[in-house]
Amino acid sequence: MFSLTQFPLQFSEKALMPYMSEETLQCHHGKHLATYIKNLNDLIVGTEYEAMPLDEIIIKSAAAQDAKKIFNNAAQVFNHNFFFRCLSPNGGGNIPEVISKAFGDKEKLVTEFKSAAAGLFGSGWTWLVQDNGTIKILTTANADTPIAHNIVPIMALDVWEHAYYLDYQNRRADFIEAFLKHLVNWKFVLENMNQ
Ligand code: MN
């Protein structure tokens, strides 16, 4: 279902400027994600996880007592591949009505998403997830991921410092604002919703 390989960017590394720099994409997609993939592939050699698809590795290692490193790297591979597909050079703008209606209120969605992402202490992720036709906001710490909890993600924002520090330094709120206004690939989010 999900691949252990790096999902290629669907745009050039310069395409998200000025909201996300070429340097950030080179470092984040080209180095951080590449390292999680290499670590994962090294860790699973010769283990029961070796032949599993990524989602199965995540679910099995989450439940195991001795597989924290495998879980962390596998979840980060999924989270990053998902996050980079949530970005688009023509992104942002109006939230599609089907999404705001499923959440309940457009303004509330924006306010609560910003507040959740800005308020997440330390490293982690802010998500839109789908639960029986309802859209909810969820935050996860460190590498944790909705699919480990049988929850369907439809949008992800990486709020680890490495996702924004080169461009925004300590101004995480500005990064969140730029993501919602200029970067979200709503087409991809809608596709996730319809699955
Ligand atoms: Mn990241």
Side-chain angles (χ1 to χ4, degrees):
M1 186 177 178
F2 301 111
S3 165
L4 272 62
T5 57
Q6 189 158 6
F7 196 86
L9 287 178
Q10 301 298 291
F11 40 81
S12 89
E13 289 172 332
K14 290 181 180 178
L16 303 184
M17 288 165 66
Y19 308 110
M20 189 178 287
S21 65
E22 181 183 21
E23 199 182 7
T24 288
L25 281 168
Q26 281 172 347
C27 191
H28 197 187
H29 183 267
K31 293 181 182 168
H32 284 277
L33 173 53
T35 301
Y36 292 127
I37 290 167
K38 183 183 184 308
N39 287 346
L40 177 61
N41 282 311
D42 289 349
L43 285 163
I44 62 176
V45 171
T47 73
E48 59 174 323
Y49 297 99
E50 195 169 9
M52 293 177 191
L54 184 60
D55 53 335
E56 205 179 323
I57 295 176
I58 291 169
I59 290 160
K60 285 251 166 77
S61 62
Q65 299 297 315
D66 56 353
K68 190 69 183 165
K69 275 189 190 168
I70 288 176
F71 174 79
N72 282 340
N73 283 283
Q76 285 293 72
V77 172
F78 172 80
N79 291 349
H80 282 89
N81 275 330
F82 194 87
F83 167 62
F84 287 116
R85 294 176 75 184
C86 286
L87 304 174
S88 165
N90 309 306
N94 284 331
I95 299 173
E97 227 169 75
V98 63
I99 293 174
S100 49
K101 275 193 177 153
F103 184 80
D105 181 271
K106 191 178 275 191
E107 294 306 312
K108 199 163 159 260
L109 194 162
V110 171
T111 309
E112 289 187 10
F113 188 87
K114 282 182 183 173
S115 160
L120 195 154
F121 188 78
S123 296
W125 297 82
T126 306
W127 306 84
L128 290 185
V129 300
Q130 191 169 23
D131 182 14
N132 291 324
T134 308
I135 303 291
K136 293 176 180 173
I137 292 164
L138 181 77
T139 59
T140 57
N142 300 315
D144 199 13
T145 184
I147 66 169
H149 308 277
N150 203 23
I151 296 171
V152 178
I154 64 165
M155 182 176 97
L157 175 61
D158 188 344
V159 290
W160 283 55
E161 282 189 348
H162 69 223
Y164 61 86
Y165 218 82
L166 291 172
D167 300 324
Y168 300 89
Q169 293 80 47
N170 61 323
R171 303 185 308 278
R172 188 194 282 184
D174 291 355
F175 171 58
I176 298 162
E177 176 92 13
F179 171 73
L180 290 172
K181 266 196 176 161
H182 304 286
L183 296 176
V184 180
N185 182 354
W186 289 117
K187 189 170 168 278
F188 177 67
V189 180
L190 284 170
E191 283 168 17
N192 297 325
M193 211 178 147
N194 295 330
Q195 279 181 8

